PDB file of all heavy atoms in Angstrom:
ATOM      1  N   LYS A  18      33.355   5.271 -81.101  1.00  0.00           N
ATOM      2  CA  LYS A  18      33.643   4.098 -80.271  1.00  0.00           C
ATOM      3  C   LYS A  18      33.582   4.463 -78.798  1.00  0.00           C
ATOM      4  O   LYS A  18      34.101   5.494 -78.385  1.00  0.00           O
ATOM      5  CB  LYS A  18      35.022   3.533 -80.617  1.00  0.00           C
ATOM      6  CG  LYS A  18      35.056   2.950 -82.012  1.00  0.00           C
ATOM      7  CD  LYS A  18      36.403   2.347 -82.336  1.00  0.00           C
ATOM      8  CE  LYS A  18      36.356   1.820 -83.770  1.00  0.00           C
ATOM      9  NZ  LYS A  18      37.600   1.223 -84.190  1.00  0.00           N
ATOM     10  N   ARG A  23      29.753   0.834 -80.270  1.00  0.00           N
ATOM     11  CA  ARG A  23      29.858   1.735 -81.416  1.00  0.00           C
ATOM     12  C   ARG A  23      28.520   2.438 -81.566  1.00  0.00           C
ATOM     13  O   ARG A  23      27.468   1.808 -81.476  1.00  0.00           O
ATOM     14  CB  ARG A  23      30.175   0.973 -82.700  1.00  0.00           C
ATOM     15  CG  ARG A  23      31.577   0.407 -82.737  1.00  0.00           C
ATOM     16  CD  ARG A  23      31.891  -0.232 -84.055  1.00  0.00           C
ATOM     17  NE  ARG A  23      30.928  -1.302 -84.335  1.00  0.00           N
ATOM     18  CZ  ARG A  23      30.858  -1.967 -85.474  1.00  0.00           C
ATOM     19  NH1 ARG A  23      31.667  -1.668 -86.464  1.00  0.00           N
ATOM     20  NH2 ARG A  23      29.987  -2.937 -85.649  1.00  0.00           N
ATOM     21  N   ASN A  29      21.713  13.423 -87.996  1.00  0.00           N
ATOM     22  CA  ASN A  29      22.204  14.495 -87.125  1.00  0.00           C
ATOM     23  C   ASN A  29      22.415  15.759 -87.961  1.00  0.00           C
ATOM     24  O   ASN A  29      22.315  15.724 -89.184  1.00  0.00           O
ATOM     25  CB  ASN A  29      23.471  14.062 -86.364  1.00  0.00           C
ATOM     26  CG  ASN A  29      24.649  13.789 -87.262  1.00  0.00           C
ATOM     27  OD1 ASN A  29      24.916  14.530 -88.205  1.00  0.00           O
ATOM     28  ND2 ASN A  29      25.386  12.726 -86.984  1.00  0.00           N
ATOM     29  N   GLY A  34      21.484  17.636 -91.831  1.00  0.00           N
ATOM     30  CA  GLY A  34      20.982  18.982 -91.559  1.00  0.00           C
ATOM     31  C   GLY A  34      19.797  19.027 -90.620  1.00  0.00           C
ATOM     32  O   GLY A  34      19.102  20.048 -90.554  1.00  0.00           O
ATOM     33  N   ARG A  36      17.554  19.692 -87.512  1.00  0.00           N
ATOM     34  CA  ARG A  36      17.647  20.750 -86.517  1.00  0.00           C
ATOM     35  C   ARG A  36      16.924  20.409 -85.224  1.00  0.00           C
ATOM     36  O   ARG A  36      17.208  21.001 -84.196  1.00  0.00           O
ATOM     37  CB  ARG A  36      17.077  22.050 -87.069  1.00  0.00           C
ATOM     38  CG  ARG A  36      17.868  22.570 -88.247  1.00  0.00           C
ATOM     39  CD  ARG A  36      17.284  23.837 -88.778  1.00  0.00           C
ATOM     40  NE  ARG A  36      15.821  23.702 -88.804  1.00  0.00           N
ATOM     41  CZ  ARG A  36      14.993  24.614 -89.252  1.00  0.00           C
ATOM     42  NH1 ARG A  36      15.449  25.737 -89.702  1.00  0.00           N
ATOM     43  NH2 ARG A  36      13.697  24.416 -89.247  1.00  0.00           N
ATOM     44  N   VAL A  43      23.053   2.130 -81.786  1.00  0.00           N
ATOM     45  CA  VAL A  43      24.153   1.796 -80.890  1.00  0.00           C
ATOM     46  C   VAL A  43      24.245   0.282 -80.737  1.00  0.00           C
ATOM     47  O   VAL A  43      23.235  -0.387 -80.532  1.00  0.00           O
ATOM     48  CB  VAL A  43      23.967   2.458 -79.504  1.00  0.00           C
ATOM     49  CG1 VAL A  43      25.176   2.192 -78.612  1.00  0.00           C
ATOM     50  CG2 VAL A  43      23.719   3.957 -79.653  1.00  0.00           C
ATOM     51  N   VAL A  45      26.261  -2.538 -78.410  1.00  0.00           N
ATOM     52  CA  VAL A  45      27.062  -2.692 -77.198  1.00  0.00           C
ATOM     53  C   VAL A  45      27.340  -4.177 -76.994  1.00  0.00           C
ATOM     54  O   VAL A  45      26.402  -4.971 -76.862  1.00  0.00           O
ATOM     55  CB  VAL A  45      26.333  -2.120 -75.961  1.00  0.00           C
ATOM     56  CG1 VAL A  45      27.218  -2.217 -74.725  1.00  0.00           C
ATOM     57  CG2 VAL A  45      25.884  -0.683 -76.189  1.00  0.00           C
ATOM     58  N   SER A  50      28.863  -0.763 -72.006  1.00  0.00           N
ATOM     59  CA  SER A  50      27.799   0.153 -71.605  1.00  0.00           C
ATOM     60  C   SER A  50      27.899   1.482 -72.338  1.00  0.00           C
ATOM     61  O   SER A  50      28.928   1.819 -72.912  1.00  0.00           O
ATOM     62  CB  SER A  50      27.869   0.415 -70.105  1.00  0.00           C
ATOM     63  OG  SER A  50      29.001   1.182 -69.784  1.00  0.00           O
ATOM     64  N   ILE A  66      16.300  -2.984 -79.910  1.00  0.00           N
ATOM     65  CA  ILE A  66      16.042  -3.819 -81.087  1.00  0.00           C
ATOM     66  C   ILE A  66      16.429  -5.267 -80.790  1.00  0.00           C
ATOM     67  O   ILE A  66      15.637  -6.184 -81.047  1.00  0.00           O
ATOM     68  CB  ILE A  66      16.818  -3.291 -82.311  1.00  0.00           C
ATOM     69  CG1 ILE A  66      16.347  -1.868 -82.636  1.00  0.00           C
ATOM     70  CG2 ILE A  66      16.642  -4.226 -83.509  1.00  0.00           C
ATOM     71  CD1 ILE A  66      17.214  -1.145 -83.645  1.00  0.00           C
ATOM     72  N   GLN A  76      15.516   6.228 -59.289  1.00  0.00           N
ATOM     73  CA  GLN A  76      15.343   6.327 -57.845  1.00  0.00           C
ATOM     74  C   GLN A  76      16.645   6.040 -57.110  1.00  0.00           C
ATOM     75  O   GLN A  76      16.644   5.901 -55.900  1.00  0.00           O
ATOM     76  CB  GLN A  76      14.270   5.337 -57.349  1.00  0.00           C
ATOM     77  CG  GLN A  76      12.869   5.711 -57.761  1.00  0.00           C
ATOM     78  CD  GLN A  76      12.466   5.094 -59.082  1.00  0.00           C
ATOM     79  OE1 GLN A  76      13.094   4.171 -59.575  1.00  0.00           O
ATOM     80  NE2 GLN A  76      11.407   5.612 -59.679  1.00  0.00           N
ATOM     81  N   GLY A  98      21.563   6.049 -69.496  1.00  0.00           N
ATOM     82  CA  GLY A  98      22.663   5.230 -69.980  1.00  0.00           C
ATOM     83  C   GLY A  98      22.122   3.813 -70.051  1.00  0.00           C
ATOM     84  O   GLY A  98      20.959   3.572 -69.704  1.00  0.00           O
ATOM     85  N   LEU A 107      23.866  -5.991 -77.643  1.00  0.00           N
ATOM     86  CA  LEU A 107      22.690  -5.158 -77.425  1.00  0.00           C
ATOM     87  C   LEU A 107      22.662  -4.138 -78.554  1.00  0.00           C
ATOM     88  O   LEU A 107      23.673  -3.468 -78.810  1.00  0.00           O
ATOM     89  CB  LEU A 107      22.805  -4.458 -76.068  1.00  0.00           C
ATOM     90  CG  LEU A 107      21.795  -3.373 -75.742  1.00  0.00           C
ATOM     91  CD1 LEU A 107      20.394  -3.968 -75.602  1.00  0.00           C
ATOM     92  CD2 LEU A 107      22.204  -2.650 -74.466  1.00  0.00           C
ATOM     93  N   CYS A 112      17.481   8.165 -79.599  1.00  0.00           N
ATOM     94  CA  CYS A 112      16.886   9.345 -80.215  1.00  0.00           C
ATOM     95  C   CYS A 112      16.944  10.513 -79.235  1.00  0.00           C
ATOM     96  O   CYS A 112      16.664  10.332 -78.047  1.00  0.00           O
ATOM     97  CB  CYS A 112      15.430   9.073 -80.584  1.00  0.00           C
ATOM     98  SG  CYS A 112      15.210   7.584 -81.567  1.00  0.00           S
ATOM     99  N   ILE A 119      27.338  15.271 -79.836  1.00  0.00           N
ATOM    100  CA  ILE A 119      27.634  13.917 -79.370  1.00  0.00           C
ATOM    101  C   ILE A 119      29.135  13.626 -79.334  1.00  0.00           C
ATOM    102  O   ILE A 119      29.609  12.921 -78.447  1.00  0.00           O
ATOM    103  CB  ILE A 119      26.875  12.864 -80.207  1.00  0.00           C
ATOM    104  CG1 ILE A 119      26.949  11.491 -79.505  1.00  0.00           C
ATOM    105  CG2 ILE A 119      27.374  12.818 -81.634  1.00  0.00           C
ATOM    106  CD1 ILE A 119      25.990  10.468 -80.070  1.00  0.00           C
ATOM    107  N   ASP A 130      33.983   9.940 -65.252  1.00  0.00           N
ATOM    108  CA  ASP A 130      33.007   8.854 -65.106  1.00  0.00           C
ATOM    109  C   ASP A 130      31.587   9.311 -65.411  1.00  0.00           C
ATOM    110  O   ASP A 130      30.747   8.528 -65.839  1.00  0.00           O
ATOM    111  CB  ASP A 130      33.031   8.285 -63.684  1.00  0.00           C
ATOM    112  CG  ASP A 130      34.301   7.507 -63.404  1.00  0.00           C
ATOM    113  OD1 ASP A 130      34.953   7.081 -64.370  1.00  0.00           O
ATOM    114  OD2 ASP A 130      34.622   7.332 -62.218  1.00  0.00           O
TER     115      ASP A 130
END
Side-chain angles (χ1 to χ4, degrees):
K18 293 182 182 180
R23 290 185 302 173
N29 64 43
R36 296 180 318 182
V43 184
V45 183
S50 70
I66 299 169
Q76 290 91 16
L107 170 66
C112 308
I119 193 167
D130 290 339

